[in-house]
Amino acid sequence: MKKMKALRLRSIGDFGCEEVELRDLKANEILMKVEACGICGSDIPRVFELGAHVFPITIGHEFSGTIVDAAQEEDRELIGKKAGVFPLIPCNECEHCETGHYAQCMNYNYLGSRCDGGFAQYCIIPSKWHLIFSENPKVTGKELAMIEPATVAQHAVRRGGVTAGDSVLIFGAGPIGIMAARWSRIFGARHVIMVDIDPVKKQFAADRNLDIVNSMEEDIGDFLEKMTGKKSVDVVIEGTGTSAAWNQAVKYVRTFGSIALLGNPHKDTNIQLQNHSQILRKEIEIHGVWNSYYASAPMNEWEYTVKMLDQGRLEVEDLITHTSGMEGLEQLFRDIYEHRITICKAMYCADS
């Protein structure tokens, strides 16, 4: 068998670069040479606190690369093509899979958390169904590795019902929050305002021509009025999972407006009684957000993300602030976890 290098998680907190065997392909599998793989916010607790579903495992689910081999002869025409990867492996048997809602699959597998993923020189992809190809040769591997978080952001904007002329308030100025702001503009929002309490994140977003307020320094309602003429918005995307943002989302959404809950809740997240009452009185529409939508009908959100990248309407590469090759990847994880660096998006790049 061939050998390759991979970042292996052996147990909680025990991980590093190893040389591992690359098995032969079978069934409908595709072999990808990984070009780039992003560090997701979920990867940090997975490595240092929560663990994975199996050990040892190669983590990483935000990745792209070039097809170098295929088990089926008819798939060998894909060799040499660059693609992003839809990492969820559905069971295709449960009621949610039957309706194309793969993110809600009741018995799924997942590249990078339940089976080997993208922090490796090569990754075995279950089939070509998981591949999303760009039609623009100028789109980079780094950009294609951003498809997963970009599509999550797109899904949140869709779940919130953002449409032309809307005012949108987004809590959390991380990479998904910034991309949600950019999607809101693509969808025609008139005003897009972000909220974050981290001055570094605020400056990073402001440098990218986004309107943003630090709620620890300035009243959100006053900032909204200054920017939009009103103290409320049509749509709120809550991306932090904190009590403060959850309650402020209810406070600043208009009557009959909508809130998309994107951020995973903290263990002590709660809603104040007065705001619970406001949800009822204002008849606010609350929408949960879980991953994204991959079926072809009514529209594959992943393919739409790549279409926007191909057309140059969605910018993502400027959000990548830190990169590393395989040998430096473990240290990059530790620097992020121990808050020695502040990132927007950190990424493994094969050419680093």
Side-chain angles (χ1 to χ4, degrees):
M1 288 187 177
K2 295 180 180 179
K3 301 278 189 177
M4 69 169 180
K5 291 182 179 180
L7 183 71
R8 299 287 281 175
L9 179 61
R10 297 174 284 264
S11 63
I12 295 175
D14 180 13
F15 71 110
C17 179
E18 294 181 9
E19 191 173 75
V20 297
E21 291 186 342
L22 179 60
R23 65 169 175 82
D24 294 334
L25 299 179
K26 57 186 179 182
N28 297 311
E29 291 177 339
I30 306 284
L31 182 63
M32 170 177 282
K33 184 176 182 181
V34 178
E35 183 169 336
C37 184
I39 298 177
C40 176
S42 66
D43 286 328
I44 301 300
R46 180 173 294 115
V47 167
F48 294 103
E49 299 170 3
L50 304 176
H53 292 268
V54 296
F55 294 107
I57 185 173
T58 301
I59 59 172
H61 59 271
E62 303 177 358
F63 65 103
S64 69
T66 301
I67 309 307
V68 293
D69 200 1
Q72 297 294 323
E73 186 62 35
E74 60 265 30
D75 291 336
R76 294 186 66 79
E77 65 180 13
L78 302 176
I79 292 175
K81 292 188 176 182
K82 188 180 294 185
V85 180
F86 178 65
L88 190 148
I89 306 169
C91 71
N92 287 315
E93 295 180 353
C94 70
E95 59 181 298
H96 301 305
C97 285
E98 287 178 351
T99 58
H101 293 90
Y102 303 116
Q104 284 72 37
C105 175
M106 300 169 70
N107 188 32
Y108 66 92
N109 203 344
Y110 210 91
L111 295 170
S113 64
R114 295 169 182 250
C115 61
D116 289 341
F119 287 124
Q121 290 178 303
Y122 296 90
C123 184
I124 295 175
I125 313 301
S127 73
K128 65 181 178 181
W129 180 82
H130 294 264
L131 302 174
I132 308 97
F133 296 98
S134 168
E135 300 299 325
N136 185 346
K138 294 183 180 180
V139 171
T140 67
K142 291 180 183 178
E143 290 175 295
L144 289 177
M146 293 286 283
I147 295 174
E148 196 271 351
T151 307
V152 170
Q154 180 201 151
H155 188 62
V157 171
R158 289 185 183 277
R159 291 289 290 157
V162 175
T163 191
D166 278 350
S167 55
V168 182
L169 183 64
I170 300 171
F171 287 90
I176 292 181
I178 290 176
M179 287 187 284
R182 289 174 171 176
W183 279 118
S184 295
R185 288 178 172 176
I186 290 172
F187 283 23
R190 183 180 180 186
H191 300 288
V192 182
I193 295 92
M194 304 194 73
V195 181
D196 206 292
I197 62 173
D198 186 330
V200 175
K201 289 184 177 180
K202 179 187 175 184
Q203 188 60 51
F204 187 86
D207 289 343
R208 282 147 184 80
N209 298 315
L210 294 166
D211 295 321
I212 184 166
V213 58
N214 184 331
S215 57
M216 301 291 288
E217 300 174 348
E218 187 173 354
D219 182 77
I220 295 175
D222 291 344
F223 189 82
L224 287 176
E225 189 171 34
K226 181 171 61 178
M227 301 303 297
T228 73
K230 297 181 180 180
K231 285 182 176 287
S232 62
V233 298
D234 301 297
V235 180
V236 176
I237 298 173
E238 200 300 285
T240 71
T242 63
S243 295
W246 179 203
N247 284 279
Q248 289 168 337
V250 174
K251 181 178 180 179
Y252 293 113
V253 73
R254 67 169 173 81
T255 299
F256 308 124
S258 68
I259 299 174
L261 295 177
L262 170 63
N264 288 325
H266 295 204
K267 62 181 179 180
D268 57 351
T269 299
N270 61 76
I271 185 76
Q272 295 173 0
L273 177 60
Q274 63 184 16
N275 287 324
H276 193 155
S277 297
Q278 283 299 303
I279 294 173
L280 311 183
R281 181 177 293 274
K282 293 162 74 171
E283 296 199 354
I284 299 168
E285 295 185 8
I286 308 291
H287 301 276
V289 179
W290 192 253
N291 205 305
S292 53
Y293 187 78
Y294 193 68
S296 57
M299 189 192 69
N300 186 315
E301 292 174 345
W302 288 65
E303 292 179 353
Y304 188 71
T305 293
V306 176
K307 182 178 180 179
M308 292 298 98
L309 289 175
D310 282 354
Q311 294 180 3
R313 296 185 62 191
L314 178 67
E315 187 176 5
V316 296
E317 196 159 0
D318 66 325
L319 305 183
I320 302 169
T321 54
H322 295 72
T323 61
S324 171
M326 187 62 65
E327 298 296 338
L329 197 51
E330 177 187 347
Q331 188 60 52
L332 180 56
F333 266 80
R334 294 191 185 280
D335 286 345
I336 295 169
Y337 180 67
E338 295 170 11
H339 304 290
R340 286 195 289 263
I341 59 174
T342 299
I343 67 166
C344 184
K345 172 59 68 174
M347 184 172 288
Y348 157 66
C349 296
D351 59 0
S352 292

